[in-house]
Amino acid sequence: MVLYRKMTPDDVEAVHKIELASFPTPWTLDSFHYEMRENPYAHYIVAVADDGYIIGFCGMWVIIDSAQITNVAVVESTRGQGIGEGLMREAIKVAKERGVESLSLEVRVSNIIAQNLYRKLGFQDGGIRKGYYTDNQEDALVMWVNL
């Protein structure tokens, strides 16, 4: 059983460890502290396993009636178990509760698994951001969904 809940400042270090293991150009620890303490637009959700360990997270910025998913990551050993989908469904629920009408994100053009998940949740292809990822200049696929 996985519990999904709002991220707190106490979760920052665990979330940052997942971030470091998941992305070639990870956000800094200070970035997550800023998100938790100072960014009024930031909303983060964590996935917590039965043993109390954080095994995934999803962040988004909500501005008026639109939201942008900033990052989604799941501990590698727990991938393929629906945790990413659970995080996204929870983010969509939170977005709707805050009056969001549209939700968008960027995903690597090579990340077909994530794209398939987002399409399953109703996201549509919106365009390409050329050279978006700084580690290898890979393009990003912009995806969006009306809520």
Side-chain angles (χ1 to χ4, degrees):
M1 179 85 177
V2 176
L3 168 74
Y4 298 95
R5 65 165 172 78
K6 183 178 180 179
M7 183 175 159
T8 70
D10 290 339
D11 300 325
V12 166
E13 293 208 12
V15 164
H16 187 245
K17 285 180 185 174
I18 298 168
E19 175 84 1
L20 289 172
S22 300
F23 300 109
T25 53
W27 285 21
T28 65
L29 187 62
D30 286 344
S31 295
F32 283 105
H33 281 296
Y34 174 82
E35 291 291 279
M36 286 293 95
R37 292 193 167 99
E38 298 181 45
N39 185 348
Y41 308 109
H43 298 274
Y44 281 75
I45 298 153
V46 292
V48 183
D50 286 337
D51 59 9
Y53 286 101
I54 293 173
I55 54 174
F57 73 96
C58 177
M60 69 178 160
W61 293 334
V62 176
I63 302 173
I64 308 174
D65 63 354
S66 65
Q68 167 79 27
I69 297 290
T70 56
N71 37 18
V72 181
V74 175
V75 169
E76 187 173 7
S77 63
T78 64
R79 291 180 189 160
Q81 299 177 22
I83 296 161
E85 180 175 345
L87 284 163
M88 287 297 297
R89 288 190 185 280
E90 194 66 22
I92 289 168
K93 178 181 155 195
V94 169
K96 286 180 178 177
E97 289 170 353
R98 285 168 173 67
V100 169
E101 296 176 9
S102 65
L103 183 59
S104 64
L105 56 81
E106 289 92 9
V107 59
R108 288 179 185 266
V109 294
S110 64
N111 193 344
I112 304 303
I113 292 171
Q115 291 173 37
N116 288 339
L117 168 61
Y118 303 143
R119 288 187 184 104
K120 177 180 178 181
L121 298 172
F123 282 78
Q124 301 174 15
D125 296 3
I128 298 288
R129 292 193 200 277
K130 291 284 190 190
Y132 181 80
Y133 293 97
T134 58
D135 63 313
N136 64 358
Q137 280 59 58
E138 183 174 356
D139 296 344
L141 173 62
V142 178
M143 299 183 80
W144 61 273
V145 64
N146 286 325
L147 303 178

